[in-house]
Each structure stands twice: as C-alpha cells, then as structure tokens.
Amino acid sequence: GVHIADVTHYVKPDSPIDEEAYKRATSVYLVDRTIPMLPEKLSNKLCSLRPNEDKLCFSVLFKMDNFANIKEYQICKTVINSNRRFTYEEAQEIIENEEGDMKEEILELNRLAKILRSNRFSKGAIAFERTEVRFEIDEKGKPLSVYFKESKDANKLIEEFMLLANRTVATHIAKPGKGKKPKTFVYRIHDTPNPDKLHIFSDFIRRFGYKLKTTGKTTEVSSSINNLLNNVQGKREQNLVETIAIRSMAKAEYSTDNCGHYGLAFDYYSHFTSPIRRYPDMMAHRLLDHYAAGGKSVDQGAYEEMCNHCSSMEQLASNAERSSIKYKQVEFMQDKVGQTFTGVVSGIQEWGIYVELNENKCEGMVPIRDLDDDFYAFDEKNFCLVGRKTRKTYRLGDEVVVRVKKTNLDKKQMDFEMMEKL
C-alpha cells in the first residue's frame, strides 16, 4: 500500500485554510526555513503519519507479481496505524547490509522498485539527477559548510512507489472504459522537447565530443539523452551539460488537458502523493472522492484555471529556492575573499566569464575588463572568448584557477580574478 495523508478530510473547500492553501499552491523550501502551504498543526501533527497512531489516509493498494506487474489495485480511504517509521539513512543501511528491522520487507520493496525503474527507462524515461546543494547552518542561519545530497537506493525506492501511485491514479480516471468520455482531472504533464532547442543543444555538446540523436522515435531520442547524461558523469563539464539539457526540455506543469509525461515516459501521470505541500494533489484527492461517490465530471475550464495558477506559483517557489541557495553560497564565500579555487567555466557572455567552483558549486564571474593579458572578443556562435593577439581562448567547460575578489550579498553576486587556465 502507498498511504497518503487524507488532508482534504480536514481542509474543506472554500474554508479560510483552503483559500490560503490555494493562494500559496505549494510549500516553499528555502535554505534556512520552510514556508508551508498548510498550518503546522496539520502538516506536522494531524496529517503526519507518525507510528503507533491511527491516521486517516487516501491509499492506493497494489497486488503485484514477482516481476512488479500490477495484477489488481484499489484506490480507497483508509485508517492506518504504522508500527515503524524509518529515515532514509536507516532504510539505506538495511539495503546495504541486508540486516536490521523489517529487512525482508525493505529488501523486497527495493527489488521491486529496481524492476519498476528499469521498466521506466526501457520505455524512454530520462535520468535527470542533478546534484543538490545543501548547507550546514548555525542557529543564526549562517552557512558553515556546503555538501551535496546524493540520491541512494532508499530514496529511489520511495520515488518509484510514489510514481506508481501517481500514474495509477491518473490512468484510473483517464481510461474510463469504452464509449465513455474521460472525466476532468488534474494531470502533471511534460511535453516532448522542442526540436529546435534539441538541435542547439546537440551543436553545443559536440564541442565536448558528444553526440545526440535529435530525430526518430521518442524512445531513441530519450535513450540518446540518457547515454549522454551517463557519459558526462564525473567529467568537469557534467554540471554544465546537465543544466543545459534540462533547459532544452519543456517544463513540467499542471493541466486538465493530458499530453503525457515525456521525462517519465508515462501516458498518464498526476500528483497525488504530497497533498500536505502541493495544492494540485489536494485537487486530485477531491476529484477522486467526487467521482468515487458517483459525481459527474466537473467544469474543465475552472480546473484549468486552477492548474495554471498552481503552475505559476510552483515556478515562483522554484525561483525563490534557487535565489535562496545563491544567497547562502555568496554568504558562505564572504570570508574567503583572497583565497584561490579551481573551477569550471560555466557561462560566457560579452561582459565576462562565469566560473563554478568544483569544491562547493558556488558561481562567480570574472569581468572581461579584468582580463588584462589581451583584448578578448566574444564569439557567440562558439560560446567562447578569444584573445585578439594571443588567440588564447576561454571555452565552456575549461578548467581554471580563480581568486575570490569580492562578494555582494545584496546582489547575490561574486567577482573572481582569473589566475590561470589549466
């Protein structure tokens, strides 16, 4: 069973809490604080699936065979009482050592999750796994150190079963049976990539010696993208290529008009598993409830408007989260002015060279006016700066040594001084 807190049991339509939750549409996760969509009494107490307490849930129950094929499923309201809560670290330890509390269940779930994941990729899912920057901060919010969050088997186990629940719920509504029109529902959609953007991306990675298939069957193109993402692992240009790959893709969003989810290779996909922190999941819960009780299809136009609002608020939250990371990175570097670091050229513009430091993924800029060994011209077509006299070239992905020259916390900016090109 995939058991999700039954948030809509407590949050009634048009109530003040519901109106505020819709306005926010999502929780926002900044480096040093969380701005929740729902009040803490709900998110951390009533709707938190704490062990040894009866909890109201919306559950998707599966019967699966040994090969992770679903034989039957049920979507229903339940009361659960869990007898153990694991952290990701505890579950990971059991997976790695094959020892510990409920090891048989966890190892079996992990085995099934790996099959589900493998099936997804064989159908054309794309393995976007960006490095997540995290900070250790003191009680005043000052960053003490930077570290990178790695997705391990325990994380992937939960992810696969959440994806399965989301896909099952969407398919359940979208395939109503012969002769019947699908009812209005909230889908999480991700359109196929724009061919022009893929061609530009393909030209860009050719400079690093990589090739990308941009035409042909969907599975062939996505398989080519996966091969590329696999090949850049551990290389100095990894972060750069991954960032531009994501920018070449369409953005995932919410809509009542389903076009499938390209990145996950699902024909039908919804968001059902996080109603505490996302309003579209609450919308999905209410619609499932309404239809299960025999209700007629709802007004698609009104729901599409709500979907658009939720997509916009998600984008706003995402921008705020990125700004928060950038702010903390500059704050972390404030006491490192004068120190030298190795980094990779992550961007080139006519006004300067952007460098991302290897050690902590902090990014700063070397202003072009400070490159005093030559007069450099910006070659837009080839993403590089070229010295007129020396023909010395700075390209994306070049490894360089820089010194931290100054930091500006208000602008979330850092200036570097170029020391040498490696």
Side-chain angles (χ1 to χ4, degrees):
V2 177
H3 306 284
I4 307 301
D6 186 9
V7 175
T8 56
H9 175 84
Y10 303 100
V11 182
K12 299 301 181 193
D14 304 322
S15 65
I17 289 179
D18 182 55
E19 285 174 4
E20 183 62 30
Y22 172 67
K23 199 164 89 182
R24 296 180 182 210
T26 179
S27 293
V28 185
Y29 297 93
L30 306 179
V31 170
D32 57 354
R33 77 202 71 178
T34 297
I35 300 150
M37 181 180 83
L38 292 169
E40 195 190 350
K41 277 188 179 173
L42 275 177
S43 48
N44 287 349
K45 295 195 171 78
L46 267 178
C47 296
S48 174
L49 304 186
R50 298 187 298 200
N52 307 311
E53 293 178 17
D54 284 356
K55 292 290 178 181
L56 301 184
C57 284
F58 212 148
S59 303
V60 188
L61 308 174
F62 297 101
K63 271 193 182 170
M64 303 172 96
D65 64 16
N66 269 335
F67 305 101
N69 297 309
I70 300 167
K71 293 304 178 188
E72 53 184 271
Y73 70 87
Q74 198 181 348
I75 301 168
C76 52
K77 294 288 185 85
T78 58
V79 180
I80 71 158
N81 191 311
S82 68
N83 45 4
R84 178 74 156 84
R85 186 186 208 166
F86 290 89
T87 63
Y88 282 109
E89 290 75 20
E90 286 168 341
Q92 186 61 34
E93 208 169 298
I94 291 165
I95 290 168
E96 286 174 10
N97 302 325
E98 300 191 359
E99 276 310 319
D101 209 3
M102 298 182 134
K103 69 167 185 184
E104 271 117 24
E105 290 88 339
I106 287 176
L107 292 172
E108 180 63 8
L109 283 171
N110 189 49
R111 186 185 72 78
L112 291 168
K114 287 191 165 172
I115 297 172
L116 289 169
R117 189 174 168 82
S118 169
N119 290 346
R120 245 183 346 108
F121 287 125
S122 68
K123 288 182 177 133
I126 297 171
F128 283 125
E129 285 176 21
R130 297 295 320 281
T131 303
E132 285 190 55
V133 178
R134 290 280 193 271
F135 297 85
E136 184 196 340
I137 54 177
D138 65 16
E139 64 281 356
K140 289 180 180 168
K142 184 173 165 54
L144 304 173
S145 65
V146 181
Y147 62 96
F148 308 121
K149 189 187 167 198
E150 191 188 342
S151 186
K152 295 188 174 177
D153 281 348
N155 305 83
K156 290 172 184 173
L157 184 163
I158 296 296
E159 182 189 23
E160 286 308 323
F161 284 102
M162 293 295 178
L163 292 177
L164 184 66
N166 287 333
R167 187 185 75 187
T168 302
V169 158
T171 309
H172 177 78
I173 297 294
K175 294 174 107 177
K178 282 185 182 172
K180 289 185 183 174
K181 193 175 170 228
K183 294 182 170 83
T184 297
F185 199 57
V186 175
Y187 297 98
R188 178 69 169 171
I189 62 167
H190 185 226
D191 212 345
T192 51
N194 176 313
D196 293 341
K197 281 189 175 179
L198 269 190
H199 283 304
I200 292 166
F201 179 50
S202 175
D203 286 345
F204 166 70
I205 59 166
R206 207 171 283 132
R207 295 174 180 78
F208 299 102
Y210 300 112
K211 283 185 179 172
L212 183 69
K213 190 174 175 61
T214 57
T215 54
K217 288 183 187 167
T218 306
T219 48
E220 290 172 351
V221 174
S222 52
S223 173
S224 179
I225 294 169
N226 276 337
N227 285 338
L228 167 70
L229 295 172
N230 198 32
N231 290 336
V232 297
Q233 291 299 309
K235 307 269 176 62
R236 63 186 187 183
E237 64 271 11
Q238 178 184 342
N239 209 36
L240 181 64
V241 171
E242 286 174 345
T243 303
I244 296 176
I246 289 170
R247 284 182 197 155
S248 306
M249 298 288 133
K251 274 194 172 68
E253 56 191 3
Y254 298 105
S255 179
T256 55
D257 189 11
N258 179 52
C259 67
H261 197 295
Y262 176 78
L264 294 171
F266 289 160
D267 291 333
Y268 307 101
Y269 188 63
S270 183
H271 270 174
F272 164 85
T273 52
S274 292
I276 286 172
R277 64 183 182 90
R278 293 187 303 226
Y279 197 83
D281 303 53
M282 282 174 56
M283 289 161 67
H285 281 215
R286 284 178 180 149
L287 288 172
L288 284 162
D289 223 9
H290 173 69
Y291 295 144
K296 291 198 165 106
S297 188
V298 297
D299 177 1
Q300 185 173 355
Y303 268 79
E304 185 61 26
E305 203 175 302
M306 291 162 82
C307 284
N308 290 338
H309 167 73
C310 291
S311 296
S312 299
M313 293 307 288
E314 179 191 38
Q315 189 57 52
L316 206 60
S318 178
N319 292 344
E321 285 161 17
R322 272 200 297 273
S323 285
S324 162
I325 289 169
K326 190 88 178 157
Y327 184 90
K328 287 294 173 193
Q329 285 177 321
V330 175
E331 190 180 358
F332 175 68
M333 295 298 288
Q334 274 186 316
D335 60 358
K336 293 166 185 61
V337 171
Q339 293 182 27
T340 56
F341 296 87
T342 56
V344 170
V345 174
S346 55
I348 291 180
Q349 296 293 343
E350 56 213 89
W351 55 82
I353 301 170
Y354 289 90
V355 177
E356 184 183 80
L357 306 182
N358 297 338
E359 190 180 304
N360 49 36
K361 298 276 184 275
C362 297
E363 190 183 57
M365 187 189 75
V366 179
I368 197 165
R369 64 177 179 271
D370 290 357
L371 293 172
D372 52 11
D373 61 332
D374 201 343
F375 182 83
Y376 287 87
F378 176 49
D379 180 347
E380 196 174 354
K381 195 177 168 205
N382 294 304
F383 297 98
C384 64
L385 284 180
V386 184
R388 286 204 179 154
K389 283 189 299 204
T390 59
R391 307 308 293 166
K392 186 176 176 182
T393 307
Y394 289 102
R395 295 180 188 279
L396 287 169
D398 279 352
E399 203 155 10
V400 293
V401 178
V402 292
R403 180 187 284 145
V404 183
K405 192 176 174 187
K406 63 178 179 184
T407 60
N408 185 326
L409 202 50
D410 292 338
K411 291 184 176 175
K412 300 186 285 293
Q413 287 175 355
M414 276 187 292
D415 274 8
F416 292 153
E417 187 183 345
M418 186 67 73
M419 303 307 289
E420 64 175 309
K421 182 178 159 187
L422 297 175

